[in-house]
Amino acid sequence: MKSVTPTTKRLANRTALAMLAAYGLTTVHHIYGGLVDDAPNRLRVPFILAIPSLVTLEALRRYKRTGSGTALATSSAVAVLAGVVLSGLLHGGYAHAYKDILFLADGPPELYYPLNPDEHYPPDDIFFEVTGVLEMVTGYFLALFTYRLIRDSQQSDHSRRRKGK
């Protein structure tokens, strides 16, 4: 069991907060969209994303407590796949930012439909679109703090090896 520095704990806490922010925002976004658009499939998203969110948070808790490389790898992989790639890039980036930019630039809807044929176009609800685009922001912070946590872990390992521990 390796010791975890106060800096590492702080980075793990920031990563956890970023994951909670990403989950909270996507929950508000999908519940609102599900109710406003009468789309029950959107109401399932918070339950589905609860699983990777909880796995990430538990792995971060374990990493802070034990310094386990497995816990760090688990939290990082799940956070990046669920929070950064799925929620941030695909959903926030493609399903909202790209769609909104395409609409505002008066682009043809055919450029949007191939990857999301069931989504309504043009965008018609500002709150829904803004909260959707903001998922890119939470994905960015989740990626940033995950990267910093991994880098901190690697630097700590390197320092320990140089000291002969």
Side-chain angles (χ1 to χ4, degrees):
M1 179 163 109
K2 69 181 188 182
S3 62
V4 177
T5 67
T7 301
T8 300
K9 287 183 180 181
R10 191 171 30 255
L11 286 169
N13 288 339
R14 288 180 181 167
T15 305
L17 285 173
M19 188 69 196
L20 286 170
Y23 177 74
L25 180 64
T26 200
T27 296
V28 167
H29 170 76
H30 283 92
I31 288 175
Y32 175 82
L35 296 174
V36 168
D37 288 340
D38 192 29
N41 57 324
R42 288 185 182 151
L43 299 175
R44 296 182 194 124
V45 172
F47 296 105
I48 294 166
L49 283 181
I51 296 166
S53 298
L54 290 171
V55 168
T56 299
L57 294 172
E58 173 56 24
L60 283 168
R61 186 189 69 77
R62 185 164 293 167
Y63 177 66
K64 283 188 333 186
R65 204 178 73 236
T66 66
S68 163
T70 302
L72 177 61
T74 300
S75 69
S76 300
V78 174
V80 167
L81 286 173
V84 177
V85 175
L86 289 176
S87 184
L89 294 175
L90 289 177
H91 186 257
Y94 176 76
H96 290 283
Y98 172 72
K99 174 177 71 173
D100 296 342
I101 291 168
L102 185 65
F103 173 73
L104 293 172
D106 202 25
E110 296 78 31
L111 292 177
Y112 177 71
Y113 285 127
L115 291 177
N116 205 357
D118 297 329
E119 187 61 42
H120 56 45
Y121 188 90
D124 59 359
D125 187 302
I126 190 77
F127 181 79
F128 183 69
E129 295 304 324
V130 168
T131 56
V133 170
L134 284 175
E135 288 186 50
M136 284 179 41
V137 176
T138 58
Y140 164 78
F141 282 106
L142 186 55
L144 176 67
F145 293 131
T146 299
Y147 169 74
R148 287 181 178 175
L149 185 60
I150 292 167
R151 186 181 64 190
D152 175 76
S153 173
Q154 290 172 339
Q155 288 172 346
S156 295
D157 288 346
H158 181 71
S159 293
R160 265 194 301 282
R161 279 194 297 272
R162 282 191 3 208
K163 291 179 184 177
K165 291 185 178 179

